[in-house]
Amino acid sequence: MGELPDYAVENRRHWDAMADLWVDAGERRWAADQPTWGAWGVPDSQIPLLPDDLHGKDVVELGCGTAYVSAWAARRGARRVVGIDNSARQMETARRLADEYGIELTLHHGIAEDVPEPDGAFDVAVSEYGAVLWAEPVAFLSEARRLLRDGGKLSFLTSHPLAVLTAPLDGSIPSGTELLRPWFGSYRHDWRNAVDEPGGIEFVPTVGQWFALAHQTGFRIDDYREIQVPESADDGLNFAVTGAWAKQWPAEHAWWLTAC
Ligand SMILES: C[S@@+](CC[C@H](N)C(=O)[O-])C[C@H]1O[C@@H](n2cnc3c(N)ncnc32)[C@H](O)[C@@H]1O
C-alpha cells in the first residue's frame, strides 16, 4: 500500500497519544478469567466474537491494541495468532503483556488494510473496536478477505451508527436522543475539531451499508446483533454515550461473516 492513507496518519497520532490511557484497561482484560467485549464488557458467552475452540486454527486480529483478544485466541488453542496495530505505543503494551503472560503472538506494527502476511493464511479474523472502526471499510473488508481461506470467519464489534448520529455537532460528549446527523451518508466521521476529546477519524457505515460492503468484498453474513447494555450496568458516561442511553438504543453492534 506504500504511504499511509490520510486517516491512518491522523489515527496513528491519535492512538500513540492515547496509548497510556489504555494500559489499565488492557491489563484488566488480559488478567480477566473470562473474555468480555466492547465498552460495557459484554461476556463472550453472550456475544461470541471468538469461536470457543480454535485448536489448529490460524487467527489474525485487525487493530489489536493491547491484544487481549489475541491472548484469548491463543488461550483457546489457536495454532498461530497474529495481531496488527497502527500505533507503536499500543504495540508496546501488547508486547509487554504477551511477554508477562508467556503467550506467543506475532505482532506487526502497521495497518490492517495492508497486513504483511500471505493470501489465505488464516481461518479466523477478528476486530474488536479495532481497525473495523478506524480503517476505511472497503479496504478493511477486502484485506480481511484476502487474508482468510475460503470458508474462513470474520467477526467484528464496533460503534452502532445511532451513537454517532446522535452526537452533538460540535463533537461534545455524550450523545443525546435526537438524530443530529443524517443516517444516509454516515461513513467517515472526523473528530479532529471536536470540543471534547478531539482527534481521530472513524468509519461508521450504516447497517445497510455494512451488508452491501460485506457482499461486495466476498463475504456472507451469518449473524448480526445490536448490543443492549444490561439493566445492571452503570447509567453513567462510558466513552461517548451513557449507560442509560445504551440500555435504550444500541451503541455497539457485532457481526459474523464467512469468506466465500
Ligand atoms: C479501541 S483500540 C483496540 C481495542 C483492542 N481490542 C484492545 O485490545 O485494546 C483501537 C485500536 O485500533 C488501532 N487502529 C486504528 N486504525 C488502525 C488500522 N487502520 N490498522 C490497524 N490498527 C488500527 C489503534 O491504533 C488502536 O490501538
Side-chain angles (χ1 to χ4, degrees), residues 78-244:
R79 175 168 55 194
R80 180 167 182 251
V81 184
V82 173
I84 185 161
D85 199 280
N86 189 21
S87 159
R89 299 289 327 287
Q90 288 273 84
M91 294 305 269
E92 280 171 25
T93 308
R95 289 205 169 93
R96 175 176 62 77
L97 289 166
D99 279 353
E100 278 175 30
Y101 283 82
I103 288 186
E104 193 180 320
L105 305 175
T106 300
L107 295 170
H108 297 299
H109 177 220
I111 58 171
E113 304 90 303
D114 189 17
V115 178
E117 293 284 341
D119 294 0
F122 297 94
D123 305 289
V124 173
V126 61
S127 190
E128 188 240 8
Y129 266 128
V132 63
L133 178 60
W134 308 89
E136 196 287 316
V138 175
F140 166 79
L141 288 169
S142 303
E143 184 67 347
R145 180 64 193 89
R146 183 189 73 76
L147 291 164
L148 286 170
R149 302 180 176 121
D150 290 349
K153 304 289 181 188
L154 168 65
S155 54
F156 56 81
L157 183 152
T158 188
S159 296
H160 192 283
L162 277 182
V164 174
L165 303 184
T166 53
L169 293 177
D170 63 1
S172 53
I173 286 173
S175 294
T177 57
E178 218 183 313
L179 285 168
L180 298 171
R181 300 159 199 263
W183 178 271
F184 298 112
S186 173
Y187 200 72
R188 177 176 156 136
H189 296 271
D190 188 334
W191 302 107
R192 280 175 288 189
N193 295 320
V195 167
D196 292 329
E197 299 177 13
I201 295 170
E202 297 178 344
F203 292 87
V204 188
T206 64
V207 176
Q209 276 176 322
W210 273 122
F211 268 87
L213 297 177
H215 290 147
Q216 200 180 300
T217 50
F219 287 100
R220 181 185 77 220
I221 293 166
D222 298 323
D223 203 356
Y224 167 70
R225 309 246 189 110
E226 292 173 335
I227 297 173
Q228 184 179 21
V229 168
E231 268 310 313
S232 56
D234 191 294
D235 276 344
L237 186 65
N238 190 1
F239 298 103
V241 302
T242 64

